[in-house]
């Protein structure tokens, strides 16, 4: 029983985590405009003081940045991505 608990506590390696979802799973993260500017420095003219929504692949790769949760969900559905819930 102790061996089983030890296996459950084992952390995923970086490469194992990067492969998670296999291009089929994504998550949506709410960002402030400042956070979005740091994550997406090539995007100019981001409005100040609003929340934005970033769609990420399971490995953390940013896929899209939108101004609404519905648009982020629409992008994920259009790419046939399953949305994972983050806790």
């Amino acid at each position: 029983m102790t061996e089983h608990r030890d296996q459950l506590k084992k952390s995923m390696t970086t490469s194992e985590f990067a492969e998670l979802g296999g291009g089929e799973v994504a998550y949506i993260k709410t960002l402030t405009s400042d956070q979005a500017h740091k994550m997406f420095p090539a995007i100019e003219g981001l409005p100040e003081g609003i929340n934005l929504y970033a769609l990420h692949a399971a490995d953390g790769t940013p896929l899209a940045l939108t101004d609404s949760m519905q648009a982020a969900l629409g992008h994920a559905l259009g790419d046939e991505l399953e949305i994972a819930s983050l806790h």
Side-chain angles (χ1 to χ4, degrees):
M1 184 79 160
T2 302
E3 183 179 328
H4 180 67
R5 274 190 240 148
D6 290 341
Q7 288 176 343
L8 290 176
K9 290 180 184 179
K10 181 183 174 192
S11 297
M12 294 177 73
T13 66
T14 303
S15 61
E16 288 172 331
F17 189 74
E19 293 175 13
L20 182 69
E24 297 176 6
V25 178
Y27 64 92
I28 297 171
K29 183 176 180 178
T30 304
L31 304 171
T32 65
S33 55
D34 288 338
Q35 291 169 321
H37 182 67
K38 289 176 186 170
M39 187 174 288
F40 299 91
I43 298 176
E44 296 180 14
L46 287 176
E48 296 291 325
I50 66 166
N51 285 335
L52 298 163
Y53 302 88
L55 177 66
H56 292 267
D59 67 359
T61 303
L63 302 173
L65 181 67
T66 72
D67 63 350
S68 75
M69 178 65 83
Q70 292 296 353
L73 287 169
H75 189 83
L77 293 175
D79 286 348
E80 298 182 1
L81 297 169
E82 184 176 333
I83 300 296
S85 176
L86 298 179
H87 299 280

